[in-house]
Structures are given as C-alpha cells and as structure tokens.
Amino acid sequence: MSQQMVDLMEAVWQSIDGLCANLTPEQWALPTECPGWAVQDQVSHLVGSECRLLGRPAPEHEPDDTSHVRNEVGQSNEVLVDYRRRFNGVEVLAEFREITAERLRVLRGMTEGDFTVETPNPLGSGPYTDLLAIRIYDAWVHEQDMRRTLGIPGHLGGPVAQHSYGRTQSAMPFVVGRKVRPDDGTTVVFEITGEVGGSIALSMEGGRANRMDAAPDSPTVRLTMGLEPFNALGTGRWTAEHALANGSVTIDGDQALGERIVAEMNFMI
C-alpha cells in the first residue's frame, strides 16, 4: 500500500514535468492564482519542499517582497522560491527533475516499517504516509494552478486526482458545520461532476455537519460543480464571486445559504 502512494507521488511529478517540458520564457513568467507567484515559482516551491525532506539546507537568502506572505510557513516557502528567481524556468525544471529523482530513490528504498514512523507534517505529526499524502495533494494543487494559468487543462482524472478529491471533500463537514453553521435540520449536498467526484451529503445535527449515507432527493441546498472549481474554491484560489459569475457552480434550493457556503469553502484558512 505504501509503495502505491509512492506511485501517486511519481505520477504527479511526471505530469508536472510533462506540463512544463516545452514552456516558453513568457509562459514561465505568467502570474498564477497564488499571490506573488508565477508559473516558475510554483515549480520552485515544489523543489524547495522536496529539498527540505532530503535534509538539504535552505539558502542564505532574504526575499525583497514578502507583502503577500501570511505566516511563518509562507515566509519559509518564499525564501526557497525567491532564491530561485535568479535562474530561468528551464534551469528550475532541471533541478525539479534532479530532486524528484533523488526523492523517488529514497521513497522506493523505504520499508513498510519506515512508512509507519511518526513524522512531523504541516498538520502536526503522524506516520510518514500522512506526510506523503499531503505532498501528493500539494503537488497536484500546484499543478492545477499552473494548468489554469497556462490554459492547459488536464490531470483531472485518475488516481492522483481521486486522492486529491478525497483530501478536499473530507474538509466539507468543517466548512459547513464550523464556518457556515446553518440551523440543525439543514441538509447540504455537494454534487461533484466529472470522472472524479460524486455526492457529498451533510446534515446539521447538534451544531455539527454529519456525513449522510445517501444524498436526499430534496436537500436544503445542492451545490453542483466540477472538480476544478471544487479544488480552486477549497484551496482559496477562486472567490465565490468568480466561481458564481463564470457559471462554474450552480445552486439549487436555498440560494442565500448556497452562496454563503461557496464563500466559505476555503478550508485552508
């Protein structure tokens, strides 16, 4: 099972490599929906994250502009990204290929016992598989950031997309129950269309949003969208106004409640 997760890690790295292999300098410089980051910076971030995991020291560097940074983790990431702005996109991609190849050698050499070792991760700590699951998701999210900017959609199906959908959908009870807090008895259905997706049905009971075994025929509100807007809203890349204006999300039932939920879907803040 653990090596199957390594397969997912390899798959998303290969997809990013293929996406970036023939980009022009102009494409590398396009700004993405991550504040302050261009396409090249997205790859630099992934390189820096994997360098950390290999124990490579961070460069002695002070970014010029950190106005878009929100926390200490963001500050640490910005050092690794800004440092690599002295290189061009082709050079950053070459480093990405080198560092991910080295990481794969390490991961392929790990035993099942190694994957159970308690390891720090961005959410706290847990077995090494938890950290790997986060790294797969993070890489896919940044791949999608680049794809939207470049106008090259893809990798919205298959095992990596399914894994990433699982990470996002598991946060919806928190979004509805803790951020929106509708009245008890309210039922909410997220209908995610496409190759990867399905119904996420929630019912408010005792001030909590609980998963339902099946979606009711007539929920209080039903939100229908594809995986791309589900991901972009959940990760804070899109605002509710943007998603509703471009028709990516449709709301059936309680319109006001639906708009409140879409506005609060960013589970990362």
Side-chain angles (χ1 to χ4, degrees), residues 243-262:
L244 293 170
N246 68 19
S248 296
V249 178
T250 59
I251 301 172
D252 296 304
D254 189 327
Q255 187 75 21
L257 174 59
E259 291 176 1
R260 284 171 56 203
I261 293 171
V262 175

Side-chain angles (χ1 to χ4, degrees), residues 177 181-187 203-210 220:
R181 297 179 181 273
D183 295 336
D184 279 4
T186 298
T187 52
S203 176
M204 288 296 297
E205 299 174 18
R208 296 173 59 89
N210 299 310
T220 308

Side-chain angles (χ1 to χ4, degrees), residues 173-215:
F174 165 76
V175 167
V176 173
R178 297 289 296 278
K179 297 185 72 178
V180 180
R181 297 179 181 273
D183 295 336
D184 279 4
T186 298
T187 52
V188 177
V189 173
F190 296 87
E191 200 71 55
I192 312 304
T193 61
E195 179 183 338
V196 170
S199 295
I200 307 162
L202 305 173
S203 176
M204 288 296 297
E205 299 174 18
R208 296 173 59 89
N210 299 310
R211 297 294 293 258
M212 304 175 69
D213 293 334

Side-chain angles (χ1 to χ4, degrees), residues 6 9-10 13 99-109:
V6 178
M9 191 82 263
E10 182 175 17
W13 285 338
I99 202 72
T100 54
E102 178 60 25
R103 281 282 289 142
L104 277 174
R105 282 193 287 270
V106 171
L107 292 168
R108 293 298 186 194

Side-chain angles (χ1 to χ4, degrees), residues 2-3 16 46 51 54 57 66 91 134 139 185 191 221 265:
S2 299
Q3 287 299 327
I16 291 167
L46 296 173
C51 280
L54 284 173
T66 58
E91 291 169 320
I134 292 168
E191 200 71 55
V221 64
M265 277 183 63

